[in-house]
Amino acid sequence: MGGSTGYFEFNTVDWNQMWSATWETIWMTIVSIVAVAILGYFIGLLLFETSGSTNLVVRIINWIVALFVNVFRSIPFIILIVLLLPFTKNVVGTIIGPVAALPSLIISAAPFYGRMVELAFHEIDRGVLEASNAMGASQWQIITKVLLPESLPALISGITVTTISLIGYTAMAGAIGAGGLGNLAYQEGFESSNNTVTLVATVIIVIIVFAFQFLGDFATRKVDKRVL
Amino acid sequence: MIEFKDVSKTFATEKGNVTAIKDVNMKIEDGEIFGIVGYSGAGKTTLIRMLNGLETPTTGVVEVNGTKISELDRNALRKKRHKIGMIFQHFNLLWSRTVRKNIEFPLEIAKISKADRQKKAEELIKLVGLEGKEDAYPSELSGGQKQRVGVARALANDPEILLSDEATSALDPQTTDEVLDLLMDINKRLGITIVLITHEMHVIRKICEHVAVLDGGKIIESGQVLDVFKHPQQPITKRFVYSEAAPSPEDTNVVVEQLLKEYPNGKIIQLTFHGNQANLPIVSEIIHKFPKIRISIIEGNIHQTHEGAIGSLFLQLIGDEGDINGALDYLKTMRVETEVIEHGR
Ligand SMILES: Nc1ncnc2c1ncn2[C@@H]1O[C@H](COP(=O)(O)OP(=O)(O)OP(=O)(O)O)[C@@H](O)[C@H]1O
Ligand SMILES: [Mg+2]
């Protein structure tokens, strides 16, 4: 390692490398968030539908899912990646590159979002569910026509929060070889002491976070018809 | 017809069993408006929820038009529920749907085609008087408008009966009257049976034909609304009937129609006294001044309200037109509120 460079020596930045790292970060985030949204939705639905039952089997299912959720939520991400290395190698075939980051990203964020989904469902007015039942709605109709639309603002703001922590995770995953801006900042910025690269990578990540936050807030406001 | 046969309901709770309904036997005829009144915790909600199977009786049978509700399987029960509309105290509309879409909701549940849904929603919007609000969201509506949506939604699948659980309890008096008028109108036009529960006696008086008084899960008194109002038997019923301040009990269509039926001759007038006007010797003055008029006292009463005493007196005046009009003019000079009772008031 030579002497550190300054923060503003932009001519030392390999912009092609920077853009491809940016693209990797965005790609990892979007692919994993889609998977997290779907998986989390089902986890939340399962938790919600099985809560408060008197049936023993249903209670056991609820207990198992809740345990799974709580365990995976409490494992620090960096440890989860290491823990899942054999699994990742099996599923993806490699432990290097953006694709290899996906299993850990998804498995860490899905339970987190699942809890948010469950909470969002619990916040729905009980009277509306009662009315739907009184009209003879089937469970499936209630899920698609009531639970989903009536909790949409909370689901969207939940996915926004989850996305932002996922962006943080991609950077962490990058540091151990998953690619993306985190990887670039670590390899070029830290190992080769190019502070300008670290700064630029940081700025880009902040912009990505802001963009997702803005989009999420906008969508939440757009769908929320409770206060006009 | 709706029939409760020896219906009881016990809830098992952590603190032991709670008997919410006890040995209820009751019949509700087709096309009538039937009221169930009782204090909080009397079991009203539990009772009405048995009609659409949201609650199952522990013992006994609930029949709606010959179908035993508690014996239906899940699918049959859902089908039956399409034909039983329900409205709620807090409206329970979907905030994410517009007025139109809220009304279409039960039609979607019953898998009605899109074209038919739209047509039906259009009709119902007119029926409940919400034209111009079709595309508003519930958060943009007043309480009364929300309940109109609730009513329209409950009627979407052309139900045989309409259940109302405290549907006016969250509304101010004037809006309450509007919604009650709407219910009455629907009952007349569609011939639908309405079962409504309330803790407000004036709701019963205004629109119900029959009433049952529920206390501690038991029906302690029931009958024609007019009879129950005139001759309440049980202490609780008396409390309900008398607790009611203004407007006076006569202020109802049912009572008016009844009076006109019973006293077809002459003119029926209602005098209303406030405070110490009740001490004026009005009747003897009229007899004195208009000796050719025959006067019978139909009924009278005095209510204590927070604004002082309010009395009302119903008189039947029989005689020739001129004399009666003279008497009416005379009453006007006495500063007593006078109203001639007519059909369709
Ligand atoms: N699901 C339940 N579990 C246990 N107890 C219940 C349940 N539902 C009702 N009860 C009890 O049954 C009794 C009657 O309740 P219900 O809700 O029918 O009364 P209500 O007449 O509708 O009262 P309100 O005017 O306050 O709505 C109450 O003592 C209540 O605590
Ligand atoms: Mg109730």
Side-chain angles (χ1 to χ4, degrees):
Chain A
M1 285 192 214
S4 283
T5 57
Y7 277 105
F8 304 105
E9 295 165 18
F10 294 109
N11 56 341
T12 64
V13 175
D14 179 345
W15 292 104
N16 276 336
Q17 206 182 15
M18 186 63 74
W19 295 139
S20 79
T22 304
W23 169 241
E24 273 172 6
T25 293
I26 293 176
W27 182 84
M28 274 191 282
T29 306
I30 289 178
V31 172
S32 49
I33 210 63
V34 169
V36 164
I38 295 168
L39 264 177
Y41 183 71
F42 283 108
I43 293 173
L45 193 60
L46 197 58
L47 283 171
F48 177 77
E49 292 288 337
T50 55
S51 69
S53 170
T54 48
N55 183 313
L56 189 67
V57 179
V58 175
R59 277 167 84 151
I60 290 173
I61 293 176
N62 181 269
W63 186 82
I64 291 173
V65 178
L67 183 75
F68 166 84
V69 164
N70 288 338
V71 166
F72 278 93
R73 275 205 313 167
S74 41
I75 302 175
F77 181 67
I78 199 81
I79 295 177
L80 189 75
I81 297 179
V82 179
L83 197 67
L84 287 178
L85 280 179
F87 173 75
T88 306
K89 188 149 178 53
N90 251 325
V91 175
V92 193
T94 172
I95 55 165
I96 306 288
V99 182
L102 292 178
S104 354
L105 287 172
I106 293 166
I107 290 177
S108 78
F112 176 73
Y113 184 52
R115 270 283 180 227
M116 289 186 167
V117 171
E118 186 202 4
L119 277 179
F121 289 167
H122 276 295
E123 271 169 26
I124 293 173
D125 185 1
R126 277 200 58 242
V128 172
L129 296 175
E130 161 133 350
S132 314
N133 267 321
M135 289 174 212
S138 65
Q139 205 52 39
W140 176 248
Q141 286 173 324
I142 289 187
I143 290 169
T144 54
K145 291 181 187 297
V146 184
L147 290 184
L148 189 57
E150 293 281 297
S151 64
L152 205 52
L155 293 183
I156 294 178
S157 67
I159 206 72
T160 309
V161 172
T162 310
T163 307
I164 286 161
S165 56
L166 258 177
I167 294 170
Y169 290 170
T170 62
M172 236 192 276
I176 65 158
L181 290 165
N183 187 39
L184 190 66
Y186 184 75
Q187 302 253 312
E188 294 295 313
F190 176 68
E191 304 238 287
S192 312
S193 302
N194 188 338
N195 283 335
T196 308
V197 169
T198 310
L199 179 75
V200 173
T202 309
V203 170
I204 294 176
I205 286 201
V206 168
I207 291 173
I208 294 174
V209 168
F210 277 22
F212 275 105
Q213 181 78 58
F214 175 81
L215 268 177
D217 289 351
F218 178 77
T220 305
R221 251 180 288 122
K222 188 90 185 161
V223 298
D224 197 345
K225 308 289 183 193
R226 280 169 293 192
V227 276
L228 288 169
Chain B
M1 191 170 71
I2 296 168
E3 234 182 319
F4 288 83
K5 292 181 193 158
D6 300 318
V7 173
S8 295
K9 173 78 188 181
T10 307
F11 289 105
T13 68
E14 278 154 24
K15 292 187 208 106
N17 286 347
V18 179
T19 301
I21 295 295
K22 228 178 153 185
D23 303 324
V24 165
N25 281 290
M26 188 162 79
K27 274 187 194 171
I28 300 173
E29 299 296 335
D30 284 344
E32 75 168 320
I33 306 185
F34 191 100
I36 300 168
V37 67
Y39 288 109
S40 187
K44 307 182 294 289
T45 299
T46 310
L47 194 66
I48 203 168
R49 283 163 57 100
M50 288 180 185
L51 289 174
N52 57 7
L54 287 175
E55 215 75 80
T56 38
T58 315
T59 59
V61 180
V62 179
E63 275 189 25
V64 175
N65 296 333
T67 313
K68 295 191 178 68
I69 296 294
S70 48
E71 286 176 7
L72 295 174
D73 64 28
R74 279 165 75 101
N75 274 330
L77 181 59
R78 280 202 278 108
K79 289 246 161 59
K80 187 82 183 169
R81 282 176 178 167
H82 297 161
K83 295 290 172 195
I84 302 177
M86 191 165 191
I87 51 178
F88 306 86
Q89 177 171 6
H90 298 295
F91 324 122
N92 298 350
L93 304 177
L94 283 85
W95 61 257
S96 58
R97 286 175 174 241
T98 58
V99 167
R100 194 199 305 275
K101 291 285 170 192
N102 261 291
I103 297 173
E104 284 185 28
F105 180 55
L107 296 163
E108 286 174 27
I109 287 174
K111 305 207 168 86
I112 307 293
S113 75
K114 189 168 177 188
D116 290 345
R117 289 203 305 261
Q118 287 171 341
K119 192 160 151 269
K120 188 75 191 178
E122 216 54 54
E123 277 170 40
L124 287 164
I125 285 166
K126 281 207 193 79
L127 180 73
V128 301
L130 280 175
E131 294 103 325
K133 290 283 177 194
E134 294 89 340
D135 297 315
Y137 285 91
S139 58
E140 300 168 291
L141 302 178
S142 69
Q145 289 169 332
K146 282 183 199 160
Q147 197 58 291
R148 284 170 191 275
V149 180
V151 171
R153 183 177 72 172
L155 295 174
N157 281 315
D158 297 318
E160 297 153 5
I161 54 179
L162 178 65
L163 309 176
S164 158
D165 187 347
E166 302 274 9
T168 57
S169 300
L171 304 174
D172 62 57
Q174 192 188 333
T175 316
T176 294
D177 274 351
E178 280 172 29
V179 172
L180 293 179
D181 284 335
L182 175 66
L183 290 180
M184 228 169 359
D185 182 48
I186 281 162
N187 169 261
K188 282 217 187 80
R189 273 209 244 176
L190 310 178
I192 186 174
T193 313
I194 301 182
V195 182
L196 71 84
I197 64 179
T198 178
H199 62 272
E200 296 171 310
M201 206 60 180
H202 71 89
V203 170
I204 300 277
R205 202 196 46 212
K206 187 168 160 106
I207 72 171
C208 295
E209 287 145 61
H210 284 96
V211 61
V213 183
L214 199 62
D215 186 48
K218 287 188 189 164
I219 296 203
I220 54 165
E221 191 163 347
S222 65
Q224 293 255 349
V225 168
L226 202 66
D227 291 341
V228 172
F229 265 92
K230 274 189 187 152
H231 314 289
Q233 305 293 318
Q234 300 292 327
I236 299 235
T237 316
K238 286 183 183 159
R239 239 160 77 207
F240 268 118
V241 172
Y242 297 144
S243 69
E244 226 196 318
S248 57
E250 290 71 31
D251 187 17
T252 92
N253 294 341
V254 183
V255 178
V256 166
E257 296 294 337
Q258 189 77 16
L259 285 178
L260 289 169
K261 234 186 272 167
E262 281 177 31
Y263 304 94
N265 302 322
K267 271 215 164 79
I268 295 173
I269 59 170
Q270 176 187 11
L271 307 180
T272 309
F273 310 88
H274 295 277
N276 53 13
Q277 288 175 334
N279 301 332
L280 298 171
I282 290 173
V283 177
S284 65
E285 289 281 351
I286 298 176
I287 293 172
H288 196 73
K289 293 219 151 117
F290 302 93
K292 283 199 225 133
I293 297 181
R294 277 190 10 243
I295 297 183
S296 359
I297 294 178
I298 297 171
E299 65 179 31
N301 56 44
I302 289 189
H303 283 286
Q304 291 301 326
T305 73
H306 53 275
E307 290 149 334
I310 295 182
S312 69
L313 189 61
F314 279 78
L315 301 177
Q316 182 192 28
L317 307 183
I318 298 174
D320 68 46
E321 194 82 10
D323 283 342
I324 290 177
N325 287 339
L328 292 178
D329 286 342
Y330 171 70
L331 283 167
K332 271 184 203 135
T333 66
M334 299 290 291
R335 289 178 33 242
V336 173
E337 254 178 72
T338 309
E339 210 176 339
V340 178
I341 308 281
E342 281 157 352
H343 277 284
R345 191 174 63 146

